[in-house]
Amino acid sequence: MTKVDNVTLTVARYFKEKGILVSTASEKTGISASVLYSSVCEKPTRKLRADEFMKICVFLDVDPHRFWCTARELSQTGA
């Protein structure tokens, strides 16, 4: 099983906090719902690829650095 990175976990938390539906994100990004679900569900099992991550950031209108900085903070605190 692949260890999910902190950036993917941060994106997954963002989806949950904002109540973003996988089906909506899939429709707007062109990423299949099954791929998205495995990366942004409550307990992700799959890392986001770079192209998927960027498509999600565009869809969310969020600077990618926001997720990276949050993920970095998580890794420093061991959360």
Side-chain angles (χ1 to χ4, degrees), residues 9-79:
L9 290 173
T10 302
V11 172
R13 287 180 185 166
Y14 188 90
F15 266 63
K16 182 178 179 184
E17 289 170 7
K18 301 294 185 182
I20 299 165
L21 299 175
V22 169
S23 58
T24 302
S26 174
E27 181 182 311
K28 300 291 184 182
T29 62
I31 303 168
S32 79
S34 62
V35 165
L36 268 179
Y37 184 79
S38 64
S39 298
V40 300
C41 64
E42 190 163 334
K43 294 182 181 185
T45 57
R46 178 187 175 278
K47 293 179 187 181
L48 286 168
R49 293 186 337 210
D51 63 318
E52 295 163 349
F53 173 69
M54 293 307 294
K55 287 177 183 180
I56 289 169
C57 289
V58 169
F59 160 67
L60 298 173
D61 194 27
V62 173
D63 184 331
H65 288 100
R66 178 192 190 286
F67 292 119
W68 184 82
C69 290
T70 303
R72 197 169 122 208
E73 290 168 9
L74 284 176
S75 67
Q76 290 173 347
T77 61

Side-chain angles (χ1 to χ4, degrees), residues 1-9 44-48 75 79:
M1 186 156 126
T2 303
K3 184 176 183 323
V4 178
D5 59 272
N6 283 339
V7 171
T8 298
L9 290 173
T45 57
R46 178 187 175 278
K47 293 179 187 181
L48 286 168
S75 67

